[in-house]
Amino acid sequence: MKTPKAIATLTLILFCLGLAHSQQTPENYPTFSNAVYQGNDNVYNDYPLADGEFYNPILQGCYPDPSITRKGDDYYMVTSSFAMFPGVPIFHSNDLVNWTQLGHVLDRKSQLKVADTGISAGIYAPDIIYNPHNDTFYMITTQFAGGIGNMVVKTSDPREGWSDPIKLAFAGIDPALFFDDDGKAYVIHNDAPEKALYEGHRVIKLWEYDVSADQVIKGTDQVIVDGGVDISQKPIWIEAPHIYKKNGRYYLMCAEGGTGSWHSEVIFVSDKPTGPYVPADNNPILTQRYFAKDRKNKVDWAGHADLVLGPDDRYYGVFLGIRPNEVDRVNTGRETFILPVDWTGAFPVFENGLIPISPKLKVPAGVQNKTGQEGYFPNGNFTYTETFQSEMLDYRWIGLRGPREDFIATSQKGLEIRPFAVNIKEVKPISSLFYRQQHKKFSFTATMDYSPSSEKDLAGITCLQSEKFHYVFGITRKGDEQYLVLERTENGVSTLVGSDKLTANGPVQLRVEAKGDAYRFSYATKGGDFQNLGGGVSGDILSTNVAGGFTGTLIGLYATTANDVKPE
């Protein structure tokens, strides 16, 4: 039995805990009742689909480094996610045209250790593969965070979640698994040579893999490609390897040339999985590097591919590419494309992958294009409206460096963001819910109800390329008055673009619009007309080839109690 003194002490502790919680919890969380994304790229208006056609890319926005596998009539595809949380989005299709997102492979903190890393670290180049010998799916990747490095996770059903990571005992990046017909398994990956002969010199290394122990077999590693197709030409960044077996021979496909404008896909062949591998005479088998820089509807940087047998018994390859805007900036990031592959000859070749890539292509025989219908991912131009009323938030909304569930809650009013005392410039989990920019010409409008309590409080929207390159457009306080502010941060240096005093109470609509490189931020109160703040601003800082890194622009619903934007 507790004594009166013990009860009093316990009561005091509980009171202090409650007081601490009340001090950390503002009375008025920013609440978003809806968000509407609308994409309207000219290319989709200029090239309407006819029956039996679908658009490329198949995943618009920052979905790079695709990998694909097949079990029966089911196709599963994954892409890189870097420091986004959850990580490694996974998609399902029965026909390679119509895709649904099943969720994410890495959806727990025990799997994803990105809380203290920059946006372009974290998860690189996931490879997904089905092993028919033990009816198991594997996802192998490099996690540049948390001291993990190369790792693998497994599942018997991609719809039911994945194991915690198994750390693998080798260096390098871009690992992939290959399971031979006899049940033997191998890991291949990019690695540094023993002695680099030039900048960008890399090798492809192979290990035997112990399936029962889920580990490479020590001492079995060997270099199977040195430099690339022709080392005398000093090829750079041979990476993203995959092995395929066809007609008793082993085909090694790799990316070469770096992930920028010289990117390509090359192929080698061997009579044994361990090599020696001989390059094809007609390499590269996919690239966009030879064409006019000012070509119409430009697709560039094509490479980092993976092959799969399609529903029509033809091969197809998924790969990354970009669609730069009118000043050659890459705000939508690296996207996932697909092309049929002609493998009637000795080597596979991407059909129309050595000419400028077209915005649309034919569906596989017997397939109907249902994108944007019946729960399938939209494609081309579309409008996505989110009212935040569903029991489960759409998988397209993601956090950065930490779970979205750590800072969001739903109510009858919509989505509440419970802000962290962390601002968007910090390399920590931030209280921002993100949606990928998927078009060069788009608008994103969010309706927010919010009354900041102090100058440290801010909520609104953001367009973010990284912690050092972004725009913040939100409501804060100066003295007794509320202000709407627009801040530009370039390479970590922030500038106030504009500020307006808010005189009306109640919900505010916040909007960002882009037409290529030209962005505009505006707001409306009490159903009034939208008013621009800050004039037209450049999207330069939202471009991969300005900000660096590997991501595309993320549009966020953002809140913080560590605001440093000062209105004028």
Side-chain angles (χ1 to χ4, degrees), residues 224-226 228-231 238 249-254 256 266-270 276-285 346-348:
I224 57 174
V225 173
D226 185 5
V229 168
D230 182 357
I231 196 169
I238 190 78
R249 305 195 81 192
Y250 298 86
Y251 294 83
L252 171 66
M253 190 174 75
C254 304
E256 187 183 276
V266 296
I267 193 84
F268 307 76
V269 68
S270 176
Y277 281 92
V278 178
D281 292 334
N282 60 326
N283 279 315
I285 59 173
F347 292 97

Side-chain angles (χ1 to χ4, degrees), residues 14-47:
L14 292 174
F15 173 79
C16 291
L17 287 173
L19 179 60
H21 183 264
S22 68
Q23 290 173 337
Q24 295 168 5
T25 305
E27 294 180 0
N28 180 30
Y29 295 122
T31 302
F32 294 87
S33 56
N34 62 65
V36 180
Y37 176 91
Q38 185 171 35
N40 189 29
D41 280 349
N42 293 335
V43 63
Y44 301 121
N45 298 320
D46 294 343
Y47 294 85

Side-chain angles (χ1 to χ4, degrees), residues 5 27 51 58 135 197 319 326 363 371 404 504 514 529:
K5 183 177 180 180
E27 294 180 0
D51 289 342
I58 53 174
D135 192 26
L197 302 179
F319 58 97
E326 75 284 1
V363 301
T371 54
R404 56 191 191 176
D529 294 335

Side-chain angles (χ1 to χ4, degrees), residues 244-264:
Y244 311 96
K245 190 174 186 181
K246 187 174 186 287
N247 298 331
R249 305 195 81 192
Y250 298 86
Y251 294 83
L252 171 66
M253 190 174 75
C254 304
E256 187 183 276
T259 195
S261 61
W262 203 246
H263 207 194
S264 70

